[in-house]
Amino acid sequence: MKNISGLTLRGMNGAAVEVEAEITGGMPVISVVGLPDAAVREARERVRAALRSVGVSLKGRVSINLAPADIPKEGALLDLPIAVALAEKAGRVKCEIPSLYIGELALDGRLRRVRGAVPAAFFAREKGLELFVPSENADEVSLVDGARAWSVPDLQSLILHLRGEKPLDKIARSEVSYDEGAADPDFSEIKGQSAAKRALEIAAAGHHNILFIGSPGSGKTLLARALKGILPPLADDELMEVMLLRSTAGLPFELSRERPFRTVHHTATSAAICGGGSGLRPGEISLASRGVLFLDEFPEFQRDVIEALRQPLEDGSITVSRVSGSVVYPAKALVVAACNPCPCGFAGDTDRQCICSPSALERYRRKLSGPILDRIDLHVPVPRLTPEELVSLGGASGESSADIRGRVVRARGIQLERWKKFGFHYNSEIPEKFLRRSAAMKPEVRAFILELLKRVKLSGRGLSRVLRLSRTIADLDGAPQIEPRHVAEAASYREGEATSWMNV
C-alpha cells in the first residue's frame, strides 16, 4: 500500500484508495481518473484553491489516479489525500509513514467534517495505518480503541506536521458515560392503559416488536414515545454499531449511550426505510438498529414499503442491492407500529359509531398482510380513556419509568448471560433450533401448548414467537423455567382482542 491513501465507503466498511499524482508541462489542467463521482471530480477546484492558500501553486498538467480503478469513488472525503499527494509531488512535504487521510477542504484550506470517520478509524486500526481526520470528526474517532489518529484543523497544520515542524494533536481515547436523565414522557404521567404499559415492558425486556391498535386520541403515540425511557443504555458493542451506522449516513455525532428512536412519516419510500440510493446509504430501519423505529399510521404506508419490512423483521439485517453493488446493514430495530381499527378510527368504539363502508374497511384491513402481522410479537389494544381518567390531573398513575427500567435491565442481563455463548443479546434474536433446545420449560408446558394450538390459529413462526415472548415474561418474573402462565400471557398478545378486527 502506498504511503498516501484515502477511503471510499462500501456500506459500513471502508475500502482503501491509493492516491497517485503526476505533474507535467503543458496547459494548466487537473484530471482525476479512477471512477470518481461528481463530488470527487469537483475536488479539483477545492484542492487547487486550498493548496494555493498554503503557498503551493500548481503549474502544468496535473493527473490524479485513484486506485484500484474498478471501484467507484464517492464523496468529498478524498479531498485531503489528493491535496497531500500533490503537495508531496510539488516537493513541499515527504510522506514516509503509511497513512490514511480523510477530509473535505474549504477554499481557504480549512477541513470540514465528513461522513465515514468511524469506518475509517476501524479500517486504519485493522491495517496498522496512521489516520488524519478533520477536527470536527475527532470526537467520534476517539471512541475507537486502538486507532492512531490525529486531529487536523486545516491543511497548513497538516503540512507542518508532515514536515516535523509542529506536531498535530493526537486524538486520545475517550469513554462515553451514561447520563440517566428524566424520561419524557414518564410512565407515571400516562393515565390508565395498564395493559399497554405491561406490553411495553415486555417489548423492552426482550426487544420484541409491538403493534398498538386503537381509536384516535387513545394514547398510542404517547405510549410509543415513553418506550425510550425504559430502555437500558447501549453496551459497548452496540454503541460501536450505532456509531458506525450514524457515521456512514453522515448524521451528527452524539456522545451518548441513549438508544436511537426514529420516527418515520407514512409517506416515506421503501428506499428511505430500507436503504439504498446511489451511495447505498442505510435506511431508517438500520439507523434505528439497537433502538426503536416508530411507524405511526401503519396501514397508511405504501403496500410495498410494509412488505419490504418482512425480511429485516425476521433476520435482523437487510441486504441493499443496486447496480453499483450490494451491502448488508444491521436492522435490529424494535419496531413499534400504531394504527386505527378502520379509516375513520372508531370501529368497535363504545362511544362513537364507525361510518366506514364495508368496502373501505376491507381495503384498509388488507393493507396489513398476515405475514407482516405474524412478525410482530405483541398486538395490543389501546382503548380510549374514560372521562374519569381524562380529568384525573393530579398524582402519578402507576410506576415510574425508572422502576420499570430496573426490571428491564435485570431481564436483559439474564438473557445476555444465557445466550452470550451463542452470540445473541435478546430473546427475540434466538433461532428456533436454539430456542427449543435451550429455553427451559416445565414439563406441563408442552401439554399446555398442544391445547393452545387446538384453540388458537398459530403458524410455525407464530408459535416460535410465542415461545420467545414466554421466555421474556419468565425472565421478567425471574423464573428459571417457562411456566404455563407465561405461555398464556404471551399467546394473549397474538390472538386476542387487539387483532380480532382483522378477521371481521
Side-chain angles (χ1 to χ4, degrees):
M1 183 177 288
K2 294 286 185 180
N3 288 350
I4 303 174
S5 297
L7 194 84
T8 191
L9 294 176
R10 303 297 294 170
M12 292 170 58
N13 300 314
V17 177
E18 296 180 11
V19 181
E20 302 170 324
E22 182 185 52
I23 302 177
T24 59
M27 294 292 291
V29 64
I30 300 177
S31 61
V32 182
V33 296
L35 290 183
D37 71 350
V40 179
R41 288 195 298 270
E42 289 175 353
R44 296 174 298 185
E45 299 308 317
R46 293 194 297 270
V47 169
R48 184 195 291 275
L51 286 172
R52 189 184 301 117
S53 71
V54 296
V56 180
S57 181
L58 300 177
K59 298 179 181 179
R61 181 177 180 83
V62 177
S63 298
I64 299 163
N65 180 43
L66 307 175
D70 59 343
I71 296 179
K73 320 299 187 306
E74 56 95 19
L77 68 171
L78 289 171
D79 286 13
L80 188 59
I82 291 173
V84 173
L86 291 174
E88 184 185 48
K89 201 67 180 177
R92 296 297 298 271
V93 297
K94 192 169 185 181
C95 302
E96 299 176 343
I97 301 175
S99 302
L100 186 67
Y101 303 86
I102 63 169
E104 177 186 341
L105 285 168
L107 298 184
D108 59 0
R110 289 177 295 108
L111 256 69
R112 293 192 172 101
R113 182 183 183 276
V114 291
R115 71 185 186 94
V118 175
F122 278 102
F123 182 86
R125 183 183 68 180
E126 179 186 346
K127 301 296 183 182
L129 302 174
E130 294 189 350
L131 175 65
F132 295 88
V133 300
S135 296
E136 294 179 14
N137 290 109
D139 284 345
E140 52 192 304
V141 170
S142 69
L143 299 177
V144 181
D145 190 20
R148 293 181 294 133
W150 277 262
S151 173
V152 185
D154 52 55
L155 185 58
Q156 180 66 42
S157 300
L158 178 58
I159 289 176
L160 294 176
H161 173 87
L162 295 175
R163 286 177 180 172
E165 297 177 11
K166 186 179 179 182
L168 290 167
D169 294 331
K170 191 170 184 178
I171 299 175
R173 175 85 167 94
S174 65
E175 296 288 342
V176 181
S177 59
Y178 178 60
D179 182 18
E180 189 176 305
D184 184 26
D186 195 280
F187 265 56
S188 62
E189 299 170 354
I190 302 175
K191 305 299 181 184
Q193 308 296 4
S194 57
K197 291 178 183 179
R198 169 65 175 171
L200 281 175
E201 181 180 343
I202 297 170
H207 207 76
H208 299 286
N209 301 322
I210 185 170
L211 171 66
F212 286 130
I213 304 166
S215 302
S218 58
K220 301 184 296 293
T221 301
L222 186 66
L223 286 162
R225 295 189 181 280
L227 175 60
K228 185 177 180 180
I230 63 172
L231 292 173
L234 290 165
D236 288 342
D237 58 334
E238 294 174 322
L239 177 64
M240 284 297 101
E241 181 181 302
V242 171
M243 288 303 306
L244 270 170
L245 285 162
R246 292 185 65 85
S247 182
T248 300
L251 297 179
F253 173 70
E254 294 178 0
L255 195 66
S256 171
R257 288 187 182 270
E258 231 179 50
R259 292 185 180 269
F261 187 95
R262 309 282 299 183
T263 301
V264 182
H265 194 263
H266 62 262
T267 56
T269 63
S270 58
I273 291 182
C274 298
S278 58
L280 295 176
R281 301 286 182 92
E284 290 292 336
I285 195 165
S286 295
L287 295 175
S289 190
R290 304 296 181 183
V292 178
L293 178 67
F294 179 41
L295 304 175
D296 201 4
E297 305 297 345
F298 195 36
E300 299 300 334
F301 284 79
Q302 294 294 323
R303 180 66 183 261
D304 63 322
V305 174
I306 296 176
E307 296 304 314
L309 294 173
R310 286 191 189 186
Q311 182 248 336
L313 287 182
E314 184 71 18
D315 301 337
S317 63
I318 187 165
T319 302
V320 181
S321 299
R322 298 292 185 271
V323 174
S324 59
S326 178
V327 297
V328 179
Y329 288 117
K332 296 181 174 67
L334 194 170
V335 174
V336 180
C339 70
N340 298 324
C342 66
C344 78
F346 297 104
D349 193 280
T350 56
D351 297 327
R352 296 187 61 174
Q353 185 175 357
C354 174
I355 59 172
C356 301
S357 65
S359 59
L361 282 169
E362 179 67 18
R363 284 194 303 271
Y364 186 79
R365 291 165 180 174
R366 287 182 63 184
K367 288 186 177 181
L368 298 185
S369 66
I372 282 294
L373 290 174
D374 212 24
R375 286 164 168 81
I376 299 177
D377 299 338
L378 297 107
H379 305 159
V380 184
V382 184
R384 287 204 299 167
L385 297 179
T386 63
E388 291 76 17
E389 289 172 321
L390 284 172
V391 298
S392 59
L393 302 178
S397 179
E399 293 180 288
S400 68
S401 293
D403 293 335
I404 298 173
R405 182 167 58 238
R407 292 197 296 270
V408 169
V409 169
R410 285 193 295 274
R412 286 202 175 194
I414 294 171
Q415 295 167 55
L416 186 61
E417 185 64 28
R418 179 191 302 119
W419 304 119
K420 66 180 179 182
K421 61 183 177 182
F422 302 116
F424 303 114
H425 287 78
Y426 322 115
N427 289 330
S428 62
E429 297 178 337
I430 307 306
E432 189 170 344
K433 61 179 180 179
F434 292 114
L435 184 69
R436 302 289 175 98
R437 189 169 63 232
S438 304
M441 304 180 193
K442 287 193 172 183
E444 59 266 28
V445 168
R446 299 187 185 278
F448 181 82
I449 292 175
L450 184 60
E451 289 298 318
L452 176 70
L453 291 177
K454 293 177 181 178
R455 294 183 289 105
V456 178
K457 297 176 183 178
L458 284 177
S459 65
R461 179 188 292 114
L463 177 59
S464 295
R465 289 187 174 271
V466 166
L467 291 177
R468 293 188 186 102
L469 206 58
S470 303
R471 184 64 265 177
T472 298
I473 295 169
D475 290 337
L476 280 169
D477 284 353
Q481 292 183 305
I482 297 174
E483 301 175 14
R485 60 190 176 93
H486 301 140
V487 179
E489 183 177 359
S492 71
Y493 292 116
R494 298 286 304 184
E495 290 286 339
E497 175 190 349
T499 51
S500 60
W501 58 274
M502 294 297 298
N503 305 315
V504 173

